Amino acid sequence: MTLLQFVQGPLWYFASAVFVLGVLWRLIAMVMIGKPRDLSAARTSSFGGGIKAILLHSVPHGGNLARTIYHFLVGYAFHIGLFVLVLFAAPHVRFIEERLLGWAWTPVPGWGFALAAQFAFAGLILLYIRRLTDPVMRKLSDWDDHIGTWLVFLVMLTGCLALQESHDGLRLIHLLSVEALMIYFPFSRLMHAFTFAFSRYNTGATYGRRGVTP
Amino acid sequence: MTDSASAKTSDGPNVQAAIDKFIAVTGSQVAAYLDACIHCGQCAQACHFHEVTHDPKYVPANKLVPITKVYKRHKAPFAALKRAIGLAPAELTADDLTEWQELLYDSCTMCGRCTVVCPMGIDIASIVGLSRQAMVAAGLGPADLMEAAENARTKGSPLGMTAQVLSDRIEWLADDFEVEIPLDKKKADVLVTLSSIEMMKYPDSVVAMARLMNASGVDWTFSSHGYEATNFGILSGKSDVAKIMIERLTGAAEELGAKTVIIPECGHAYGAMRWSAAGILGRPLPFEVLHITEFVAQQIKAGKLKLKKMGDAITYHDPCQVSRRGGAAEDARTILNAFASDFREMEPTGNNNWCCGGGGGVQAMASASDLRHKVFRIKTEQVDKTGAQSLVSACANCRLTMDESKVALDWHTDIKSLVELVADQLEDA
């Protein structure tokens, strides 16, 4: 078995299992901790408040747009760019069709990929510069923040290098970095990709009972 | 064992007791919050303590550090695995607890403004409240706040207002102001509670509340068995005191057969009784709980309170626990619009208003006074921009905070109680 075969075969399955089972366990274990029942007399619906909070916290509100414009623009540039790259890059769409679902959707054209990549790189780099230079973010940041950022950067960089799939070595490096990210993901703050909904919903539901969505 | 009994050991803070409490209070909701924080620091943009100091230690997310350390080391999914391979956070230390006392008490009013700006919607204020319970378990916490909580336990109120003092002062107010103030009726539909801050520092507010209740024509009374609405047990982190205070009010209301309990002009008292009490007692409350502004707004809408118009330019400070964290911001507007012909909103206002700087028990901490005076500068600038002659609020704790900071900052705008203003505008007043 060549290294490429190993990375495409057993290591891929191992990384996928760690990712899927790790994410599921982390979420299930978190929910299973349980919480006290809210016995106060509700003014309005908890569920409605929870859903509202999930949507409301997707954008700055409460008069905070100007204060948070940097994170808002740069954060969305990165996340939308990354979303397009992961789900609509032609090699990924082909991979999804051939190895995961048996069917897939239309990939973005080359110019779309280039645009998404520019957004994703610019967003990630600008967020990281902020993390390194802003006193508040420096105060809060730990090794997990740095490792997560660098792993995502590495995956994006090697992905762009391997775009033409013309060199096995480049594909190998990309796949290895993706698998490293998948194995790291469930144990890290990258889990915010899932936990954001739980966090927002909980606040929305708690305060939704009170008739307000902060 | 009471919270107060798990005091500091001779070697310093009882770290293990704090760890145990942090673990106990971390339910799935708190876990979701701690797992969702991405250290983006946006919460600094909403925190008045950071706003006036620009010191990064005051960023609200930093206040989550002690509980996060314990959660990720002891309770989070994969905690055991991470401990085994050395990737779990270090164990909480006495130095951590001592360092975070200022951040969890002096510099957090639990106003919840940081939740609004947080992209994850994390309710940091609630986690600070839970963290204070762990600080108490360790034997820490500001001495004056702890003393206020103990006064509430032993004397009935944080300012030492015993049932006898209550009775004496009600008799004096009723005589002096020629207003009927019922105390200890056998049965009543409505139990009215009060804040000892009002009774001891702003007694006119108690008279105004009595006038409004009388004018509404409801069957009401104060009770010497349950009168103190403030809950310094919740503010301090002494959960046993929190429960005692709630049991006193609940017991008094049940004894009267009251259908409604009115919370006076006090923000945190409203949150404590309206939203936390049932959970602390472990059963739904058999009566409705209304903030005085909710009650007055209902009476105005029902046509039971007729008010004269007032032309003075006034603006309104929302108590955070009534508006952003209580859901009752509109009731104050209903009242203001009923009598104030020149009511001017601050910017931002309502659910997004800046805190006065003295909520969450900060008002009672001498060590926090310089910092909260600085914070109040935000409010003075907000008010000055409106050009209002008076700043009105519906929280005696906010009022006391603002009155003290007004002197410290040599600011000259009048600060008034909404209830007192409304009572003055009664058509037969």
Side-chain angles (χ1 to χ4, degrees):
Chain A
M1 182 183 284
T2 65
L3 182 58
L4 182 60
Q5 285 172 327
F6 174 72
V7 168
Q8 286 180 318
L11 190 57
W12 167 256
Y13 291 116
F14 175 73
S16 300
V18 170
F19 177 78
V20 172
L21 296 177
V23 166
L24 281 176
W25 171 244
R26 180 125 177 227
L27 296 177
I28 291 168
M30 183 183 76
V31 171
M32 284 181 61
I33 293 172
K35 61 177 180 177
R37 264 183 74 201
D38 191 338
L39 298 170
S40 61
R43 187 180 276 140
T44 51
S45 154
S46 289
F47 179 74
I51 300 301
K52 187 177 171 190
I54 289 176
L55 299 173
L56 190 64
H57 283 269
S58 299
V59 289
H61 59 282
N64 290 305
L65 176 62
R67 285 170 170 264
T68 57
I69 192 77
Y70 184 93
H71 271 83
F72 175 53
L73 294 179
V74 172
Y76 264 99
F78 164 65
H79 283 95
I80 292 172
L82 184 65
F83 180 79
V84 172
L85 292 180
V86 170
L87 290 181
F88 292 94
H92 293 167
V93 172
R94 216 164 28 249
F95 180 86
I96 290 165
E97 182 172 17
E98 290 169 5
R99 294 194 55 180
L100 294 181
L101 301 177
W103 62 276
W105 42 87
T106 308
V108 288
W111 64 265
F113 178 92
L115 193 63
Q118 285 171 32
F119 271 96
F121 273 110
L124 186 63
I125 291 167
L126 288 171
L127 282 174
Y128 196 58
I129 288 172
R130 184 83 162 196
R131 189 171 291 288
L132 295 178
T133 57
D134 177 52
V136 165
M137 288 190 80
R138 283 169 62 93
K139 177 81 182 169
L140 295 173
S141 298
D142 60 17
W143 56 267
D144 186 14
D145 297 307
H146 296 287
I147 291 174
T149 304
W150 278 104
L151 268 177
V152 172
F153 180 78
L154 196 63
V155 167
M156 284 169 26
L157 183 67
T158 57
C160 287
L161 292 174
L163 183 62
Q164 299 305 320
E165 299 185 86
S166 56
H167 198 294
D168 278 353
L170 292 175
R171 274 185 66 209
L172 176 74
I173 294 170
H174 181 52
L175 273 170
L176 268 174
S177 60
V178 169
E179 286 159 358
L181 181 71
M182 289 166 74
I183 292 169
Y184 183 71
F185 192 103
F187 306 97
S188 72
R189 200 164 286 117
L190 296 170
M191 276 294 293
H192 76 270
F194 298 98
T195 53
F196 83 95
F198 292 80
S199 177
R200 289 183 192 173
Y201 180 86
N202 278 321
T203 292
T206 299
Y207 290 91
R209 289 177 72 84
R210 306 183 184 189
V212 63
T213 308
Chain B
M1 185 168 67
T2 65
D3 291 336
S4 312
S6 41
K8 230 187 289 195
T9 67
S10 56
D11 299 328
N14 188 340
V15 179
Q16 190 56 50
I19 291 171
D20 292 344
K21 182 58 88 173
F22 275 128
I23 292 172
V25 299
T26 305
S28 57
Q29 182 154 339
V30 174
Y33 291 146
L34 302 182
D35 277 338
C37 180
I38 49 170
H39 294 169
C40 68
Q42 297 302 282
C43 45
Q45 298 299 323
C47 177
H48 37 278
F49 292 108
H50 181 267
E51 179 77 4
V52 298
T53 62
H54 295 290
D55 186 334
K57 75 176 178 180
Y58 291 127
V59 57
N62 191 36
K63 293 160 188 169
L64 305 183
V65 167
I67 194 170
T68 303
K69 278 182 92 169
V70 173
Y71 167 67
K72 295 207 166 174
R73 184 171 179 83
H74 294 284
K75 195 165 185 176
F78 303 124
L81 175 65
K82 287 186 176 177
R83 272 202 314 276
I85 58 176
L87 290 180
E91 190 66 277
L92 190 74
T93 65
D95 287 345
D96 289 336
L97 291 170
T98 307
E99 183 182 346
W100 257 265
Q101 173 165 313
E102 187 217 351
L103 300 177
L104 292 170
Y105 284 98
D106 299 46
S107 58
C108 183
T109 54
M110 299 197 280
C111 75
R113 207 165 182 276
C114 45
T115 300
V116 177
V117 77
C118 175
M120 301 292 154
I122 298 171
D123 185 2
I124 295 175
S126 293
I127 303 175
V128 167
L130 296 172
S131 297
R132 287 184 179 186
Q133 293 181 25
M135 297 296 280
V136 166
L140 293 171
D144 33 19
L145 185 64
M146 297 301 141
E147 187 185 346
E150 285 308 311
N151 277 342
R153 182 207 304 275
T154 56
K155 297 176 183 168
S157 99
L159 296 183
M161 184 177 69
T162 61
Q164 185 58 52
V165 173
L166 171 78
S167 174
D168 293 346
R169 290 184 79 87
I170 282 182
E171 190 180 338
W172 159 62
L173 290 172
D175 284 351
D176 244 36
F177 290 86
E178 296 178 352
V179 59
E180 187 186 344
I181 309 180
L183 174 67
D184 287 335
K185 282 165 69 172
K186 291 255 182 280
K187 293 285 168 195
D189 291 338
V190 179
L191 169 66
V192 179
T193 63
L194 47 80
S195 142
S196 49
I197 296 175
E198 292 173 310
M199 189 56 106
M200 307 306 275
K201 298 184 187 287
Y202 303 115
D204 286 7
S205 268
V206 180
V207 174
M209 210 157 45
R211 284 192 171 134
L212 290 171
M213 300 309 297
N214 293 339
S216 300
V218 295
D219 173 24
W220 72 281
T221 186
F222 284 119
S223 167
S224 60
H225 300 152
Y227 52 91
E228 179 62 61
T230 64
N231 195 318
F232 275 65
I234 288 179
L235 296 180
S236 64
K238 286 177 179 277
S239 47
D240 56 335
V241 176
K243 189 171 185 183
I244 287 168
M245 301 308 287
I246 286 163
E247 284 172 341
R248 284 179 187 157
L249 292 187
T250 306
E254 288 178 333
E255 188 181 9
L256 286 168
K259 300 182 188 74
T260 304
V261 170
I262 305 277
I263 302 299
E265 288 193 318
C266 179
H268 89 262
Y270 177 64
M273 203 60 195
R274 176 66 178 89
W275 301 115
S276 302
I280 290 171
L281 280 183
R283 63 182 170 94
L285 301 180
F287 45 78
E288 70 171 340
V289 178
L290 296 175
H291 189 253
I292 184 69
T293 52
E294 286 182 288
F295 175 79
V296 172
Q298 281 182 3
Q299 299 304 308
I300 289 171
K301 285 178 187 168
K304 293 185 180 172
L305 292 178
K306 305 285 185 199
L307 304 178
K308 296 175 286 194
K309 287 287 179 187
M310 188 192 79
D312 298 355
I314 61 172
T315 188
Y316 180 70
H317 164 74
D318 287 270
C320 307
Q321 306 300 329
V322 176
S323 56
R324 179 165 47 246
R325 292 167 64 77
E330 279 313 303
D331 295 286
R333 272 79 191 166
T334 300
I335 299 168
L336 287 159
N337 289 324
F339 74 91
S341 47
D342 192 3
F343 166 49
R344 305 174 183 188
E345 289 279 18
M346 282 182 264
E347 182 59 44
T349 189
N351 295 334
N352 302 310
N353 199 16
W354 287 98
C355 173
C356 64
V362 172
Q363 211 292 321
M365 302 171 206
S367 54
S369 58
D370 287 347
L371 190 56
R372 70 177 161 83
H373 294 327
K374 279 186 196 162
V375 163
F376 188 63
R377 182 59 77 194
I378 300 174
K379 187 62 55 186
T380 64
E381 287 171 4
Q382 275 192 290
V383 174
D384 289 345
K385 277 183 191 164
T386 68
Q389 298 161 263
S390 305
L391 169 60
V392 180
S393 190
C395 173
N397 185 71
C398 294
R399 186 181 179 188
L400 182 59
T401 299
M402 297 191 293
D403 272 340
E404 289 181 1
S405 292
K406 172 183 159 168
V407 173
L409 299 180
D410 193 25
W411 188 61
H412 297 288
T413 299
D414 286 339
I415 296 170
K416 294 180 174 172
S417 141
L418 181 57
V419 161
E420 287 177 36
L421 270 187
V422 177
D424 286 345
Q425 297 310 120
L426 283 171
E427 283 196 343
D428 58 352

